[in-house]
């Protein structure tokens, strides 16, 4: 699993979580404020609170979540990075569109429109618009998504080290090779691959060898298919 993809997922989650606790955009003045939250605009006016939910606000966090999840759940193709970038751009676009909603429907010739129990009133108060931290995180997510797409999520050049036994099992499952789990490893035909501390042991009837992950996978596939097979697993490779 690529570290770059994990960073993209972390930014998506950070954006959504932070947005719950702080607005992505707001204007505030004396006894009056409008805050953009994941469930819509929260308007507060002299103690009265109203929520105005533009439909685009829900698309913002749904697209952002998709942009973070796709590179993790669909790793076999580079097209997941393209689609994740599209979702991140759409998320940012929906956020800008939602902010423009306020400019279009909640303001009129310098007056701010405030909902009341019986309708709306026009308020002329000194207000200050502010972009919140979630907006900047979403912008960072979009930039990172584009960068990951352009580099196929390889700009750091590192991977998250996973359990080698899990990696062996994944290859065997993809190739539909029968195997059995044993304590500390797997058994394929007449060989066993066992993890001991930070080493992999290849055990057969005659000897025990310490091998690397690539050798362990190759030997397991050879035994499973009864013929030499070269196996390679590349995240976001060519289809």
């Amino acid at each position: 699993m690529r570290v770059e993809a994990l960073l993209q997922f972390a930014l998506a989650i950070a954006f959504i979580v932070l947005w719950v606790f702080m607005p992505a955009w707001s204007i505030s003045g004396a006894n009056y404020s409008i805050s953009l939250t994941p469930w819509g605009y929260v308007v507060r006016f002299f103690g009265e609170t109203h929520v105005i939910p533009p439909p685009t606000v829900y698309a913002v966090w749904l697209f952002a979540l998709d942009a973070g999840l796709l590179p993790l759940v669909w790793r076999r193709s580079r097209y997941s990075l393209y689609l994740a970038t599209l979702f991140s751009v759409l998320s940012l676009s929906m956020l800008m569109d939602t902010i423009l909603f306020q400019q279009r429907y909640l303001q009129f010739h310098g007056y701010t429109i405030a909902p009341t129990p019986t309708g709306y009133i026009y308020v002329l108060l000194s207000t200050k618009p502010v972009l919140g931290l979630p907006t900047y995180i979403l912008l960072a997510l979009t930039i990172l998504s584009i960068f990951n797409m352009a580099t196929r999520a390889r700009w750091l050049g590192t991977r998250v080290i996973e359990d080698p036994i899990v990696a062996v099992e994944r290859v065997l499952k993809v190739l539909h090779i029968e195997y059995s789990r044993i304590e500390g490893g797997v058994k394929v035909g007449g060989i066993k691959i066992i993890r001991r501390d930070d080493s992999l042991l290849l055990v057969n009837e005659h000897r025990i060898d310490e091998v690397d992950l690539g050798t362990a996978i190759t030997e397991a596939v050879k035994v499973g298919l009864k013929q030499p097979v070269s196996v390679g697993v590349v995240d976001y490779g060519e289809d």
Side-chain angles (χ1 to χ4, degrees):
M1 186 177 296
R2 306 298 306 186
V3 174
E4 296 88 340
L6 287 176
L7 287 175
Q8 187 167 321
F9 176 71
L11 281 178
I13 295 301
F15 164 68
I16 295 172
V17 172
L18 279 176
W19 197 14
V20 172
F21 296 101
M22 60 180 64
W25 177 91
S26 65
I27 60 173
S28 59
N31 298 311
Y32 178 78
S33 68
I34 299 179
S35 302
L36 179 56
T37 67
W39 46 89
Y41 281 107
V42 177
V43 182
R44 296 181 177 89
F45 181 64
F46 284 98
E48 293 285 339
T49 301
H50 299 272
V51 177
I52 303 174
T56 53
V57 74
Y58 304 107
V60 175
W61 54 268
L62 284 174
F63 283 141
L65 184 61
D66 290 337
L69 282 175
L70 264 175
L72 296 184
V73 300
W74 184 16
R75 296 164 49 197
R76 302 297 300 175
S77 171
R78 68 187 187 278
Y79 294 110
S80 64
L81 299 175
Y82 298 161
L83 194 56
T85 300
L86 174 62
F87 280 138
S88 64
V89 172
L90 285 174
S91 179
L92 185 61
S93 300
M94 290 297 100
L95 180 63
M96 295 299 103
D97 187 66
T98 306
I99 293 175
L100 290 176
F101 173 92
Q102 188 274 339
Q103 301 291 326
R104 174 65 178 85
Y105 295 104
L106 298 181
Q107 287 193 4
F108 180 76
H109 291 292
Y111 288 85
T112 300
I113 302 172
T116 68
T118 57
Y120 295 88
I121 62 173
Y122 293 87
V123 183
L124 184 58
L125 294 174
S126 177
T127 57
K128 180 182 179 181
V130 176
L131 284 176
L133 181 60
T135 300
Y136 295 104
I137 293 180
L138 180 58
L139 180 60
L141 171 64
T142 304
I143 294 173
L144 179 61
S145 299
I146 295 172
F147 203 56
N148 281 346
M149 178 189 68
T151 62
R152 291 193 186 175
R154 284 173 171 79
W155 53 276
L156 284 179
T158 57
R159 296 171 61 96
V160 175
I161 299 175
E162 61 181 344
D163 187 339
I165 299 300
V166 174
V168 173
E169 287 189 70
R170 182 183 298 118
V171 174
L172 296 177
K173 288 178 181 178
V174 169
L175 297 177
H176 301 287
I177 294 175
E178 292 187 3
Y179 69 94
S180 58
R181 294 180 179 177
I182 59 176
E183 184 177 356
V186 295
K187 180 179 180 182
V188 183
I191 67 170
K192 300 176 183 178
I193 300 172
I194 300 173
R195 182 181 183 182
R196 181 173 297 171
D197 297 328
D198 294 330
S199 303
L200 276 181
L201 300 180
L202 182 64
V203 182
N204 56 32
E205 296 178 354
H206 307 291
R207 56 189 297 177
I208 299 176
D209 296 315
E210 183 175 336
V211 296
D212 58 21
L213 178 59
T215 302
I217 291 175
T218 301
E219 292 299 322
V221 172
K222 284 181 180 180
V223 172
L225 298 180
K226 302 299 183 182
Q227 61 182 357
V229 175
S230 177
V231 178
V233 180
V234 180
D235 289 345
Y236 318 119
E238 295 282 356
D239 282 346

